Amino acid sequence: MSTAHKLTLPALLMLLYISSSDPVTVTTSKAKVEVHENTNAVLSCEFKTEKDTNPRVEWKKRSKDVSYVYFDGDFTGTLGSFKSRASIDGATMTLRGVTQKDSGVYHCEVTARHDKIKLGEVTVTLNVLVAPHAPSCEVPETVMRGFSAELRCKDKLSFPTATYSWYKDNKPLHTSNLPEINYTLDPKAGTLKFKAVSKSDEGQYRCEASNGVGAPKSCAGQHMKITEFELNMTVVTAVEVGASLLLLSCCVAICLCCRRGGCCCCRKNQGETQQSRTKTSYNPPDPRCYKHTQSFVL
């Protein structure tokens, strides 16, 4: 029995040692925080240490690089001047008047120097929701009948990303592809495209952005005018005169080239003419004259 006591006593001491050597633990009550713009965001961070009653607490924000938010008992002046609008309670950090720039992934690190396992950390993601702003709209002032047209709409500030609706004369345009519709509407890209506009497409157009965070916002209505294709007589006359002058210049250039023998076609024709003349002017001698000449020599 004494042997059993000797065997179990070290085991009991070991268990007591292990139970008293719990590592520093860091937790959060909310790993993902979503708040509206210009409100306060509470990033929860709670810790439990083995011995250290005053551990070092650090907050970092991770983007392309890792930047300190809270370090060595004070807030930093970077990342939107946290020093003037942040506070800390234990390890929980509160950011006041947050903007879209504050969105990101934050790390809470607790270092207990006197503990056996000295470091613990937790991650909190902050999303700042931004209501729609009045989008920028591009509507062509004039389009000729039968030509294509594209209207554009964009809100770069809202979060989540906005979706778009188009209105003509304050009446919503359908997004479905119906046979009688001669346009395509992309709610995500914010584009309204016409393959070939008609007179009935003339009117006032506006775009509305919405993302479910705040009230939808619209741009000011802009008028698109559909015109008929008309020929300008001045332009037509100028084109005709220009074409005539170009043709006359080409004829004069060809004539000068032929006269100076600079044109290969002209040189070929001249050579053939000379050859024909040479063949025509050559007459072989009469055989009778040849015989008479021989008799005279004898």
Side-chain angles (χ1 to χ4, degrees):
M1 187 171 179
S2 60
T3 305
H5 281 295
K6 288 180 181 180
L7 290 173
T8 56
L9 184 59
L12 290 172
L13 292 174
M14 182 63 70
L15 289 173
L16 290 173
Y17 175 76
I18 292 173
S19 62
S20 63
S21 301
D22 290 337
V24 56
T25 56
V26 182
T27 59
T28 181
S29 60
K30 200 170 186 180
K32 186 176 181 180
V33 178
E34 289 188 346
V35 295
H36 286 228
E37 188 181 29
N38 299 319
T39 60
N40 298 342
V42 179
L43 308 185
S44 167
C45 182
E46 301 169 356
F47 62 87
K48 182 180 179 182
T49 61
E50 175 193 354
K51 297 178 181 178
D52 202 332
T53 58
N54 189 27
R56 185 179 70 187
V57 176
E58 295 177 0
W59 275 95
K60 301 174 184 177
K61 184 183 179 185
R62 186 181 68 193
S63 51
K64 292 182 179 179
D65 300 318
V66 177
S67 303
Y68 278 102
V69 177
Y70 183 81
F71 176 74
D72 199 19
D74 198 7
F75 288 96
T76 64
T78 59
L79 294 175
S81 299
F82 285 113
K83 186 183 286 287
S84 61
R85 60 187 184 91
S87 59
I88 197 161
D89 181 12
T92 297
M93 180 174 64
T94 301
L95 304 178
R96 297 184 296 274
V98 293
T99 64
Q100 180 60 37
K101 293 181 179 180
D102 295 323
S103 294
V105 179
Y106 292 80
H107 294 272
C108 174
E109 295 183 1
V110 178
T111 305
R113 298 179 182 87
H114 303 297
D115 288 13
K116 192 167 186 179
I117 299 177
K118 296 179 170 55
L119 179 66
E121 63 177 334
V122 71
T123 300
V124 180
T125 302
L126 172 62
N127 289 326
V128 179
L129 307 178
V130 181
H133 291 65
S136 60
C137 299
E138 298 179 16
V139 179
E141 293 182 3
T142 305
V143 183
M144 283 190 290
R145 185 173 63 86
F147 282 70
S148 62
E150 181 174 345
L151 287 66
R152 301 183 183 92
C153 178
K154 197 68 176 177
D155 175 15
K156 297 181 180 180
L157 301 176
S158 62
F159 183 85
T161 304
T163 56
Y164 305 96
S165 304
W166 278 95
Y167 293 79
K168 176 180 178 288
D169 298 329
N170 290 325
K171 295 180 181 179
L173 296 177
H174 299 285
T175 57
S176 57
N177 295 323
L178 300 176
E180 65 272 14
I181 292 178
N182 67 331
Y183 61 81
T184 56
L185 197 159
D186 190 336
K188 294 183 179 180
T191 56
L192 175 61
K193 297 180 180 180
F194 293 89
K195 291 182 179 179
V197 296
S198 61
K199 195 64 179 178
S200 61
D201 295 320
E202 181 171 310
Q204 190 177 65
Y205 290 83
R206 66 178 178 87
C207 172
E208 183 180 85
S210 59
N211 67 350
V213 176
K217 293 292 180 68
S218 297
C219 63
Q222 301 178 43
H223 190 79
M224 184 173 72
K225 184 179 180 181
I226 309 301
T227 60
E228 297 291 336
F229 182 76
E230 296 179 358
L231 288 176
N232 190 320
M233 294 308 299
T234 304
V235 175
V236 173
T237 304
V239 171
E240 290 179 349
V241 171
S244 300
L245 291 175
L246 178 61
L247 181 61
L248 180 61
S249 300
C250 291
C251 292
V252 171
I254 292 171
C255 291
L256 290 175
C257 181
C258 288
R259 290 189 63 181
R260 295 178 180 178
C263 180
C264 61
C265 295
C266 294
R267 288 199 300 269
K268 183 179 179 181
N269 292 334
Q270 289 177 359
E272 292 176 353
T273 303
Q274 289 178 357
Q275 288 179 4
S276 63
R277 286 179 180 176
T278 303
K279 291 180 181 179
T280 304
S281 61
Y282 174 73
N283 295 318
D286 192 343
R288 291 177 296 177
C289 296
Y290 181 70
K291 290 180 179 180
H292 178 73
T293 304
Q294 285 183 339
S295 63
F296 178 77
V297 172
L298 289 174

